[in-house]
Amino acid sequence: MYTYGYTSTNKSNSLNSENRPHYLLLAFVGLFLMWSTFHVALFNGHTVNFESPIYTATLFAAVIALVSMGVFFKHFKLDQKSTLLLWYAPLLPISYAISLWNAASSSYAVNMLLITFIFITFYITTIIITQNGNARSKLTTLLISNAYVIVWFGFINWFGNSNLVKPLISWMGIYFEESGRYKDAVMFTNDGLRLTSVFQYANTYAAYLMAFLFVALFLLGRSTKWWGKLTHASMLVPILLSIMLTLSRGGLVMLPVVFFILLLFLKPYRQLTWIIHLTISGIATLLVLNPITSIGTELYENFTIGTSLKGWGILLVISLLSGVLSLCTEKWITPWLQEKFSSLSSKKIANFIIPLGSAIAGLILFVIFVGTSAKNILPEDIRNRLESINFTQNSVLERGTFYTDALKVISDYPIIGAGGGGWAALYEQYQNNPYVSRQAHNFFLQYIIETGILGFAFLSIFLVYILYHYIRSYIRADDEKRDEHFIYFIIALSILVHSILDFNMSYVYIGILVFIGLGGMTTAIEKDPIANQKRKPKSIKLAYTAIFSLASVVVLITSFTFISAAKAYDKTIEILGTTNNYNEIIEPLDKALSIRPTHPNYVMLKSDLQAQIYVQTQDEEYFTESEKAIKDALKVEPYNKSLWMSLNSLYSHKNMHVDIYKVYDENKYRYPWDIEWYEQYMHIASLLAINPSVDKAATDKYIASTLESLEHIHKGIEHLKTLPEGQLQGRKFEITPKVALHAGQAYYMSGKTQEAHDLMKAHIQENLTNPENPNDKTNQELMRWYLASVQKLGLKDDASLAKLLAFDQTENEKITSIANMKLK
């Protein structure tokens, strides 16, 4: 009887004493996966609002780790390779612990250490679960069920029905906007409407969909029940449609790459079956792509129940029809293909023929859809994204810049790295142009930055060892053994390949899936019985259980205290909206700081409160305590710009201009492309230069600082002109009115009146008031100093003078005062 490699499991004793502990683990894992999914997939965004779910996840993982160790000690069967990997895996969090010594950001580094513990916990837990055949099949069901929930949740938001599911999942503390939408599940961007489901980032959702598209294809063939086949077959259209709606170029580029690799592991008849299923679902997807896109756009702007139901009707009908066709393929065509290709399957080159042919066919289809009128059948947004797939568009060029800049960071932190979150903390210092990206868009480069060559060597050995032995075991195994763990290979491979181009692994949930995949692959490695060992397996298990359990308890306590601190901080924010009572506000904040005294956000909030009290009372104790807290935090967070700005804000309350100048001057190398930093730096330098109490030597120093800053900005502007044509520069970096004002003042005070005149004249603004900030007097002051230079040079500009005087009649005296200023 044709079974397509299906491995049966014994259902009769599924709840016996050996299975029960594994099922307890499965219950924990299933609950964790569902919970974490809806918390933005536990994105590690290096901001305080993402931290609390990650700490809760760490607590949950520590509990899972302790339960796992109990099951491990009683039921785990040791073999040489799995034992080696179980002892080796903790080197990954250990490498993050080592990098703490050199961390650019203590808080980011600690978070990544905890996250890596979560990854290893799920790696070990998966090995324990997948050693049990019944539990392994249930884990497969959990993973695919969770994926299908995410896919349908995406369409629930696409068709505007998130209000219907909100009561079902909001009990998990999931955030919904006031409109009832799950935040950014559907995003309106310059490229059009993009589907992101729970991820709030389309490219990572595309990577996730790609992995489970291939898992669904695999399970479609593996299932023995017709309803199982139909379920997986009917999900192919929703998944493919979701990939298209993400508008992810990276997803569209990497999907055929991963597909090609996976085909190499299948026999020819299986390869053809996969291609047929994808062809059926692909055609069905193209048939409904235009109407589904239009309906989603219409519903995003104006929800109507009729339009929503129409969208659901189209999607469900076409998905079911496609599923039925794939079911028919499985019933009649696949057995025929298996018989016809049985002789070819025995040849070594057989597995390469169809993948190569499909690659060529895929390339031809791409050329057709991009280079001919066939592209007109696609929605405009998707057509534009396909046409922009080339090596000269911003997304590609910018990634190249990220990678080049990443190598600069690595060269300065080569051995143990810059600690977790190293890129987020350091990238502004090393960036080639003023882009904004707290992620390096490449998991492997980001890993080297964070853990150095040492940590990356640990990771590389770990991945290569598992991959090599898995492939070797796969080649030697029969079909049934191959199929038992192949979905784990699909998941790990798909996400890791796509992570070459993006920061998928910054989503803790995605990282967990990868390590679950690696764990399943580890279980599939050929077993070598332990022989001639000095220590008995039970002793090895006892030692491992004790060590990992102790580490889990430490993490459990740490995560619990971090959760307590995060809740206290959130409580402070909540109280701030209801009262001005300092003692009431500060109580929970002090609790948070007692746990994490150098956490940047906690420190800055208290500093701001203390600064306000100092201004009101002039009590030096508040100032001193605030200054000390910020400086202590800066010792472990030296690259945190917000902390430096908080310190300067505190200094401004006492007019400590020299100290403010030192902060800007000594840290300017960290933020070479931050024009606002240079505006403030030049402002304080000019302020000090004008101060009559400052001696000539100091004045010359401040003037030199201002003019050097101007030169730095000029060089930056010239450098930006060398960027490739398709690459955007990122943030604004130009001679702003503030820069022109302060540089003009510096020129003027150094006796270079003509240079001052020319610079300021070129940047005079039409509007003397700033509509975005009425308190900003920069344009008015720029006009004043410009007219002073006009008067000094004996020139006239009656139009500008009349304009300024119409704005403020007292300006004439101020202009004359500047013109008559005695230069030092």
Side-chain angles (χ1 to χ4, degrees):
M1 180 179 175
Y2 170 70
T3 61
Y4 195 1
Y6 175 74
T7 303
S8 62
T9 55
N10 185 359
K11 306 283 185 181
S12 59
N13 295 317
S14 62
L15 290 178
N16 63 27
S17 59
E18 183 179 348
N19 290 331
R20 259 188 238 113
H22 294 86
Y23 284 6
L24 176 64
L25 263 183
L26 278 169
F28 276 108
V29 170
L31 182 60
F32 180 94
L33 291 177
M34 187 57 66
W35 170 84
S36 62
T37 295
F38 290 101
H39 286 275
V40 199
L42 299 178
F43 180 53
N44 180 26
H46 305 298
T47 57
V48 70
N49 54 305
F50 290 116
E51 289 182 345
S52 190
I54 290 175
Y55 299 148
T56 304
T58 308
L59 179 67
F60 207 152
V63 173
I64 291 174
L66 291 171
V67 176
S68 295
M69 287 301 98
V71 180
F72 170 81
F73 186 71
K74 287 197 69 176
H75 298 280
F76 193 78
K77 299 172 185 176
L78 288 176
D79 65 86
Q80 289 176 340
K81 292 186 178 68
S82 64
T83 303
L84 174 63
L85 286 165
L86 286 170
W87 282 102
Y88 185 90
L91 286 176
L92 303 187
I94 287 172
S95 65
Y96 271 99
I98 293 170
S99 70
L100 279 169
W101 184 79
N102 202 35
S105 168
S106 174
S107 59
Y108 295 169
V110 169
N111 288 350
M112 270 309 303
L113 176 58
L114 296 176
I115 288 168
T116 313
F117 170 83
I118 296 175
F119 292 161
I120 295 307
T121 293
F122 276 89
Y123 171 74
I124 294 167
T125 300
T126 303
I127 294 175
I128 295 167
I129 290 173
T130 52
Q131 272 207 347
N132 180 291
N134 288 306
R136 180 172 60 244
S137 66
K138 298 295 187 294
L139 179 59
T140 299
T141 302
L142 278 177
L143 292 172
I144 196 67
S145 298
N146 191 236
Y148 290 170
V149 167
I150 290 174
V151 172
W152 287 119
F153 183 74
F155 281 109
I156 285 170
N157 284 273
W158 187 262
F159 294 132
N161 308 120
S162 55
N163 272 319
L164 299 178
V165 298
K166 181 179 177 181
L168 300 176
I169 59 176
S170 57
W171 61 272
M172 291 189 285
I174 297 162
Y175 174 74
F176 283 83
E177 296 176 327
E178 290 184 9
S179 63
R181 289 175 174 170
Y182 182 88
K183 181 175 172 57
D184 290 336
V186 178
M187 296 178 66
F188 187 79
T189 68
N190 293 333
D191 299 309
L193 212 59
R194 303 186 70 176
L195 180 62
T196 74
S197 191
V198 299
F199 296 97
Q200 298 181 4
Y201 182 59
N203 291 348
T204 291
Y205 187 35
Y208 179 80
L209 290 165
M210 176 176 68
F212 282 94
L213 171 68
F214 298 131
V215 170
L217 276 169
F218 172 72
L219 293 178
L220 165 57
R222 185 184 176 195
S223 298
T224 55
K225 305 293 184 182
W226 70 267
W227 50 265
K229 290 181 180 291
L230 183 60
T231 298
H232 299 304
S234 297
M235 285 302 300
L236 296 180
V237 168
I239 294 174
L240 278 172
L241 189 57
S242 297
I243 291 174
M244 298 302 288
L245 294 176
T246 63
L247 303 183
S248 172
R249 287 178 293 232
L252 293 173
V253 168
M254 283 303 185
L255 191 146
V257 174
V258 175
F259 183 57
F260 175 83
I261 295 171
L262 291 175
L263 286 182
L264 297 175
F265 287 82
L266 305 178
K267 289 187 175 180
Y269 78 92
R270 283 194 180 192
Q271 295 172 348
L272 285 171
T273 305
W274 277 35
I275 292 170
I276 292 169
H277 289 317
L278 279 181
T279 301
I280 293 169
S281 54
I283 292 171
T285 298
L286 289 176
L287 289 174
V288 299
L289 187 55
N290 261 311
I292 293 293
T293 301
S294 300
I295 288 170
T297 304
E298 182 180 339
L299 290 170
Y300 186 83
E301 296 171 352
N302 181 32
F303 176 81
T304 60
I305 188 66
T307 306
S308 179
L309 289 174
K310 178 183 176 182
W312 279 113
I314 293 172
L315 175 61
L316 293 175
V317 168
I318 198 69
S319 298
L320 184 59
L321 287 174
S322 173
V324 169
L325 287 175
S326 285
L327 184 62
C328 294
T329 300
E330 279 294 303
K331 185 173 179 61
W332 290 298
I333 297 178
T334 301
W336 180 78
L337 288 173
Q338 184 177 7
E339 182 182 348
K340 289 295 181 183
F341 284 88
S342 58
S343 59
L344 179 63
S345 298
S346 61
K347 298 179 181 180
K348 291 184 177 180
I349 198 172
N351 286 34
F352 293 88
I353 296 173
I354 295 173
L356 287 172
S358 64
I360 295 170
L363 184 60
I364 293 171
L365 282 173
F366 176 78
V367 172
I368 290 172
F369 274 109
V370 173
T372 71
S373 58
K375 64 187 176 184
N376 294 327
I377 69 173
L378 300 173
E380 183 181 359
D381 294 340
I382 295 171
R383 185 168 68 247
N384 291 339
R385 296 293 281 183
L386 279 173
E387 289 176 338
S388 67
I389 295 178
N390 57 64
F391 292 105
T392 60
Q393 49 95 14
N394 180 65
S395 182
V396 174
L397 296 171
E398 194 169 55
R399 276 171 170 75
T401 300
F402 295 161
Y403 304 159
T404 302
D405 293 345
L407 295 176
K408 299 176 192 174
V409 182
I410 293 167
S411 68
D412 281 353
Y413 297 85
I415 307 302
I416 64 172
W423 170 266
L426 293 167
Y427 82 93
E428 284 192 82
Q429 179 177 329
Y430 293 88
Q431 61 186 168
N432 176 70
N433 53 282
Y435 54 78
V436 178
S437 178
R438 294 166 73 84
Q439 307 287 340
H441 287 74
N442 182 301
F443 165 65
F444 301 98
L445 278 175
Q446 195 156 312
Y447 201 96
I448 303 175
I449 289 171
E450 295 179 341
T451 64
I453 295 171
L454 179 66
F456 187 69
F458 290 159
L459 176 69
S460 299
I461 293 169
F462 181 67
L463 293 177
V464 170
Y465 187 91
I466 293 173
L467 186 63
Y468 170 76
H469 284 285
Y470 172 81
I471 293 174
R472 193 177 74 162
S473 300
Y474 183 92
I475 293 170
R476 295 179 177 181
D478 57 30
D479 283 352
E480 289 188 358
K481 288 294 182 183
R482 288 175 175 179
D483 285 353
E484 287 178 356
H485 302 88
F486 194 58
I487 73 156
Y488 301 103
F489 175 67
I490 293 172
I491 292 170
L493 175 76
S494 300
I495 295 173
L496 285 174
V497 168
H498 191 277
S499 294
I500 296 171
L501 296 180
D502 240 308
F503 53 87
N504 310 311
M505 295 290 284
S506 292
Y507 287 83
V508 179
Y509 169 79
I510 293 292
I512 287 170
L513 289 181
V514 169
F515 278 86
I516 285 176
L518 294 171
M521 291 167 64
T522 300
T523 307
I525 294 173
E526 290 177 308
K527 304 298 182 287
D528 297 325
I530 295 179
N532 301 320
Q533 297 291 320
K534 293 182 180 180
R535 293 187 178 276
K536 296 180 179 180
K538 192 170 183 179
S539 300
I540 297 173
K541 286 164 71 173
L542 180 61
Y544 190 85
T545 300
I547 294 170
F548 199 76
S549 295
L550 179 61
S552 300
V553 170
V554 171
V555 171
L556 183 73
I557 295 170
T558 302
S559 56
F560 181 80
T561 58
F562 281 14
I563 291 169
S564 179
K567 286 185 176 179
Y569 175 78
D570 292 340
K571 181 68 175 176
T572 306
I573 300 297
E574 182 183 332
I575 293 172
L576 274 169
T578 60
T579 182
N580 291 324
N581 187 310
Y582 176 77
N583 293 326
E584 190 176 341
I585 294 169
I586 209 69
E587 183 180 352
L589 184 56
D590 279 340
K591 179 183 177 182
L593 284 164
S594 68
I595 298 170
R596 305 191 70 181
T598 59
H599 190 290
N601 294 86
Y602 304 172
V603 169
M604 286 188 289
L605 179 56
K606 185 169 183 180
S607 172
D608 181 58
L609 293 170
Q610 289 178 320
Q612 293 178 43
I613 298 298
Y614 169 74
V615 170
Q616 295 170 16
T617 66
Q618 295 299 301
D619 187 337
E620 287 292 330
E621 183 179 347
Y622 289 103
F623 182 92
T624 303
E625 187 179 339
S626 177
E627 182 185 29
K628 182 180 184 304
I630 295 173
K631 286 187 172 181
D632 287 345
L634 281 167
K635 290 176 183 177
V636 293
E637 303 284 343
Y639 292 88
N640 191 302
K641 189 193 302 181
S642 297
L643 274 174
W644 289 114
M645 301 305 289
S646 186
L647 182 62
N648 274 348
S649 176
L650 181 67
Y651 285 157
S652 68
H653 294 304
K654 293 181 73 171
N655 293 321
M656 297 170 63
H657 295 152
V658 173
D659 296 271
I660 295 172
Y661 169 83
K662 285 181 180 178
V663 168
Y664 283 119
D665 184 62
E666 293 173 3
N667 294 281
K668 63 186 177 184
Y669 72 95
R670 304 185 199 270
Y671 315 109
W673 292 103
D674 188 338
I675 196 65
E676 291 182 5
W677 184 277
Y678 276 91
E679 285 176 343
Q680 295 303 316
Y681 176 41
M682 296 170 77
H683 166 69
I684 200 68
S686 297
L687 203 63
L688 286 166
I690 294 170
N691 191 330
S693 64
V694 175
D695 62 33
K696 187 178 185 308
T699 298
D700 290 343
K701 181 182 75 170
Y702 297 134
I703 289 174
S705 295
T706 304
L707 296 180
E708 285 169 8
S709 297
L710 178 64
E711 180 62 23
H712 169 81
I713 295 169
H714 274 305
K715 287 180 179 178
I717 293 170
E718 291 303 309
H719 172 74
L720 292 176
K721 293 176 182 178
T722 67
L723 292 178
E725 184 178 347
Q727 185 172 353
L728 304 176
Q729 74 172 46
R731 292 172 297 166
K732 176 180 69 175
F733 194 81
E734 59 190 28
I735 306 295
T736 65
K738 289 182 180 179
V739 169
L741 168 63
H742 304 312
Q745 290 171 328
Y747 275 135
Y748 188 90
M749 288 183 287
S750 61
K752 299 178 179 179
T753 311
Q754 187 64 56
E755 287 87 341
H757 171 273
D758 295 343
L759 176 62
M760 291 188 287
K761 182 178 182 180
H763 293 89
I764 287 174
Q765 303 297 299
E766 183 67 27
N767 194 343
L768 293 179
T769 59
N770 184 347
E772 296 179 2
N773 182 9
N775 295 322
D776 184 3
K777 304 298 184 183
T778 301
N779 295 340
Q780 183 181 349
E781 194 173 357
L782 177 62
M783 181 73 85
R784 181 192 308 146
W785 277 81
Y786 159 71
L787 289 171
S789 69
V790 168
Q791 186 173 324
K792 186 86 169 180
L793 291 169
L795 304 174
K796 285 189 177 183
D797 189 342
D798 293 336
S800 295
L801 180 60
K803 184 177 181 180
L804 184 60
L805 291 177
F807 189 81
D808 184 352
Q809 286 293 325
T810 66
E811 285 289 347
N812 224 343
E813 297 176 8
K814 297 175 183 176
I815 293 168
T816 302
S817 176
I818 295 170
N820 295 331
M821 177 189 296
K822 287 187 177 181
L823 304 179
K824 299 177 186 178

